[in-house]
Amino acid sequence: MVSKIDWESQIGRRLRLRDLHVFHAVVQQRSMAKAAAQLGVSQPAVSEVIADLEHALGVRLLDRSTQGVEPTMYGDALLKRSITVFDELKQSVKDIQYLADPTTGEIKIACPLAIAFTVIPHVIERFTEKYPRVVLHFDEVPSAAAVRNFPELRERKYDLVLARGSSLQVEEPPDDLNIDLLFEDQLVITAGPQSKWAGRRKIDLAELANEPWIMQAPHTWNYQRLAEAFRARGLDMPKASLVTLSMPVITHVLAQGQSIAAIPRSVAHFNALNVLPVDFPRRPWPVGIVTLKNRTLSPVVERFIACAREVAKSMAGRPAGRSQRRKAGVF
């Protein structure tokens, strides 16, 4: 059993940030020798730091073997919390820089393909017009499912992640995440300006059964919702003339010909496609910004979120916006 640790005598006066930095390097390199080379110090100096840490805490932080070193459960606990410490210190330095010049800084963001193709380019465009000296680092993640647990957000790789749908709707929402709901997207049936259906005031779903449909794969949210709508009317699922996950291809084919497709309203909005007046079941699909609850956002990140809200409000037919923060999955 681990004895009670006295903060003042054992930790407060003895633990240094440099010690944690050395510990991080050893864990990352899985070797004291490699960590020493990275830090530009001797291996005995690294070994001494680790030994002092273990003595101060009264537990073994690393397991040593011929394959290298691995953190123990105590080492994992120290690593997890110290990542937060270093991150907050870095954010503090950035905040000081931003206070000196609030129009500069860096933001690291990520989102799945569906948002990368629709909302995010317009947010970036609006933001860069206002703050041209801010550097944006943007990564596209494969899908909403790939960011369901937001591991890279927790590792502080990103300042925020834009997500949608199932990645925001979890049965047991994590307590360490905030969701800033931007808008609720929904699936609509669309056509290009040249389509014979573009001028109609009312269209029955059955009328579209034999039209040239562009569809996504059967496992996708779009396909499943479309299939539900046809089943509810007692209709067979239409035969697809094109099956693809590529939104650029879908929107191009729609704009140039007579095809129709079921796509998110935001895609239709930003690509000037016609939303056909079909009685289609409303299935809201939330789009929001995910951030860490206990991580203070820098002023420049707050400005980016404000631009995202402005873009959401500008979408025709969308509500004025709900910017209050909620736990992940609660809408």
Side-chain angles (χ1 to χ4, degrees), residues 118-119 164 181-188 263-270 275 282-287 308-322:
T118 56
V119 180
R164 66 185 299 160
L181 180 61
L182 294 178
F183 63 95
E184 288 185 343
D185 216 344
Q186 68 182 79
L187 197 67
V188 293
I263 60 177
R265 181 182 289 273
S266 60
V267 177
H269 172 80
F270 288 118
V275 176
R282 179 177 174 82
R283 293 290 297 271
W285 206 13
V287 175
R309 292 179 186 144
E310 291 172 5
V311 170
K313 291 178 182 179
S314 71
M315 294 174 61
R318 302 267 51 105
R322 288 180 287 173

Side-chain angles (χ1 to χ4, degrees), residues 49-80:
V49 168
I50 299 300
D52 287 345
L53 273 175
E54 292 181 332
H55 178 71
L57 295 169
V59 294
R60 180 176 290 277
L61 298 174
L62 299 171
D63 283 330
R64 301 154 177 86
S65 69
T66 55
Q67 284 74 39
V69 297
E70 293 286 345
T72 65
M73 63 178 182
Y74 306 116
D76 280 332
L78 180 63
L79 187 67
K80 177 182 178 182

Side-chain angles (χ1 to χ4, degrees), residues 189-207:
I189 297 179
T190 58
Q194 301 179 40
S195 171
K196 65 182 180 181
W197 301 102
R200 292 278 296 271
R201 295 186 177 182
K202 188 175 182 180
I203 302 173
D204 189 275
L205 187 62
E207 296 181 75

Side-chain angles (χ1 to χ4, degrees), residues 15-319:
L15 184 64
R16 299 172 298 177
L17 287 175
R18 177 179 175 275
D19 299 339
L20 293 178
H21 183 58
V22 171
F23 174 68
H24 272 236
V26 172
V27 173
Q28 290 172 351
Q29 297 295 324
R30 300 185 62 187
S31 164
M32 293 194 187
K34 291 180 180 179
Q38 178 187 0
L39 297 171
V41 299
S42 66
Q43 183 174 339
V46 171
S47 299
E48 183 180 357
V49 168
I50 299 300
D52 287 345
L53 273 175
E54 292 181 332
H55 178 71
L57 295 169
V59 294
R60 180 176 290 277
L61 298 174
L62 299 171
D63 283 330
R64 301 154 177 86
S65 69
T66 55
Q67 284 74 39
V69 297
E70 293 286 345
T72 65
M73 63 178 182
Y74 306 116
D76 280 332
L78 180 63
L79 187 67
K80 177 182 178 182
R81 297 296 184 180
S82 57
I83 286 175
T84 304
V85 170
F86 282 116
D87 178 68
E88 288 298 324
L89 284 173
K90 290 177 183 178
Q91 291 300 318
S92 296
V93 173
K94 290 180 180 179
D95 285 348
I96 292 173
Q97 294 172 338
Y98 300 153
L99 288 171
D101 186 352
T103 64
T104 62
E106 293 187 6
I107 307 175
K108 297 180 180 180
I109 58 179
C111 73
L113 176 62
I115 301 177
F117 180 68
T118 56
V119 180
I120 195 65
H122 300 274
V123 178
I124 290 175
E125 181 180 17
R126 183 180 294 256
F127 182 82
T128 53
E129 286 178 357
K130 290 186 174 182
Y131 310 103
R133 291 196 292 160
V134 175
V135 179
L136 293 174
H137 300 270
F138 170 70
D139 288 337
E140 180 185 299
V141 292
S143 66
V147 293
R148 181 181 295 276
N149 295 315
F150 307 100
E152 293 179 324
L153 183 63
R154 290 186 170 97
E155 294 168 2
R156 272 67 176 180
K157 179 178 179 179
Y158 300 118
D159 295 299
L160 58 90
V161 173
L162 280 85
R164 66 185 299 160
S166 59
S167 60
L168 303 181
Q169 298 167 321
V170 292
E171 294 181 0
E172 297 180 3
D175 292 330
D176 61 338
L177 298 180
N178 276 322
I179 295 294
D180 195 342
L181 180 61
L182 294 178
F183 63 95
E184 288 185 343
D185 216 344
Q186 68 182 79
L187 197 67
V188 293
I189 297 179
T190 58
Q194 301 179 40
S195 171
K196 65 182 180 181
W197 301 102
R200 292 278 296 271
R201 295 186 177 182
K202 188 175 182 180
I203 302 173
D204 189 275
L205 187 62
E207 296 181 75
L208 303 176
N210 296 317
E211 291 302 300
W213 280 85
I214 304 173
M215 294 186 184
Q216 297 187 330
H219 70 275
T220 61
W221 188 86
N222 292 21
Y223 184 97
Q224 293 170 3
R225 301 295 80 76
L226 183 63
E228 287 176 2
F230 274 91
R231 282 198 302 269
R233 291 289 309 279
L235 302 171
D236 293 332
M237 188 67 167
K239 184 179 179 180
S241 61
L242 171 65
V243 178
T244 178
L245 292 174
S246 172
M247 277 297 173
V249 170
I250 292 173
T251 55
H252 177 81
V253 175
L254 285 174
Q256 299 301 318
Q258 295 295 317
S259 297
I260 57 177
I263 60 177
R265 181 182 289 273
S266 60
V267 177
H269 172 80
F270 288 118
N271 289 276
L273 296 171
N274 293 292
V275 176
L276 300 184
V278 181
D279 186 11
F280 197 70
R282 179 177 174 82
R283 293 290 297 271
W285 206 13
V287 175
I289 293 177
V290 186
T291 56
L292 286 177
K293 182 175 292 185
N294 296 320
R295 188 187 194 198
T296 302
L297 299 179
S298 68
V300 72
V301 173
E302 292 281 12
R303 292 187 179 97
F304 183 87
I305 293 175
C307 283
R309 292 179 186 144
E310 291 172 5
V311 170
K313 291 178 182 179
S314 71
M315 294 174 61
R318 302 267 51 105

